[in-house]
Amino acid sequence: GGKSLILTTTNGTLAVKNCLGANSLLMGAFLNLDAVVNKLLRFTEVVLVCAGTENNYSMDDGLCAAWIIHRLKLRVKTELDDLGHHLLEGLNPAQHLTSALKDCHHLNYLVSKGYARDVDYCLQVDIHRVVPVYDDGRIIAS
């Protein structure tokens, strides 16, 4: 509470840096999915950026983006590019995240390195209402 935390990531930091020209920059995950969608409803144009893993596409990022798109489409008229359509076509809303990501390379790597509990935590949906935002060189809770 009230303290600063410094976090660096391999790809998340680069993704943020590459988005610095955006009017708003929100951080989303499965953990805060509904809160992110609620915030995105305030915008007329949204670009979803997946950080990936070691400069490659990461299935978990794509699935999270698909869920954001799916939930947005349930609430507002949404125009998608080809990738957005492709992500939605692969989404099965009835499928549990663990099952949907069973072949995810980076997720399996983390599990093999002893981070199974961290992965299980991150695959929870809508347990947080906070949406981190980038503001003047800092990521803060909104």
Side-chain angles (χ1 to χ4, degrees):
K3 298 194 179 191
S4 294
L5 172 71
I6 297 172
L7 170 71
T8 60
T9 69
T10 316
N11 297 290
T13 304
L14 182 60
V16 168
K17 180 181 174 194
N18 289 336
C19 294
L20 290 181
N23 291 333
S24 298
L25 183 53
L26 313 175
M27 315 292 165
F30 296 117
L31 296 166
N32 67 347
L33 197 61
D34 196 50
V36 168
V37 170
N38 287 334
K39 288 223 181 261
L40 292 178
L41 291 171
R42 301 175 187 167
F43 300 97
T44 56
E45 186 174 344
V46 172
V47 175
L48 300 178
V49 175
C50 297
T53 302
E54 297 178 0
N55 296 317
N56 290 303
Y57 172 80
S58 192
M59 189 184 298
D60 51 333
D61 287 356
L63 184 58
C64 188
W67 269 105
I68 291 170
I69 294 166
H70 173 72
R71 288 192 179 184
L72 282 171
K73 283 184 69 69
L74 291 174
R75 299 183 58 190
V76 295
K77 182 174 171 37
T78 307
E79 292 181 33
L80 301 174
D81 63 8
D82 289 347
L83 180 56
H85 286 290
H86 181 71
L87 289 172
L88 265 186
E89 286 173 10
L91 179 65
N92 177 355
Q95 189 177 32
H96 190 276
L97 291 179
T98 303
S99 175
L101 294 170
K102 68 180 176 18
D103 296 322
C104 180
H105 174 75
H106 191 65
L107 180 145
N108 288 320
Y109 171 76
L110 291 172
V111 169
S112 77
K113 293 295 182 185
Y115 294 103
R117 287 181 54 205
D118 299 82
V119 168
D120 289 344
Y121 177 81
C122 291
L123 294 182
Q124 296 178 88
V125 178
D126 293 328
I127 65 166
H128 293 293
R129 305 294 317 147
V130 173
V131 178
V133 297
Y134 183 86
D135 183 38
D136 195 28
R138 297 175 33 194
I139 297 172
I140 60 171
S142 65

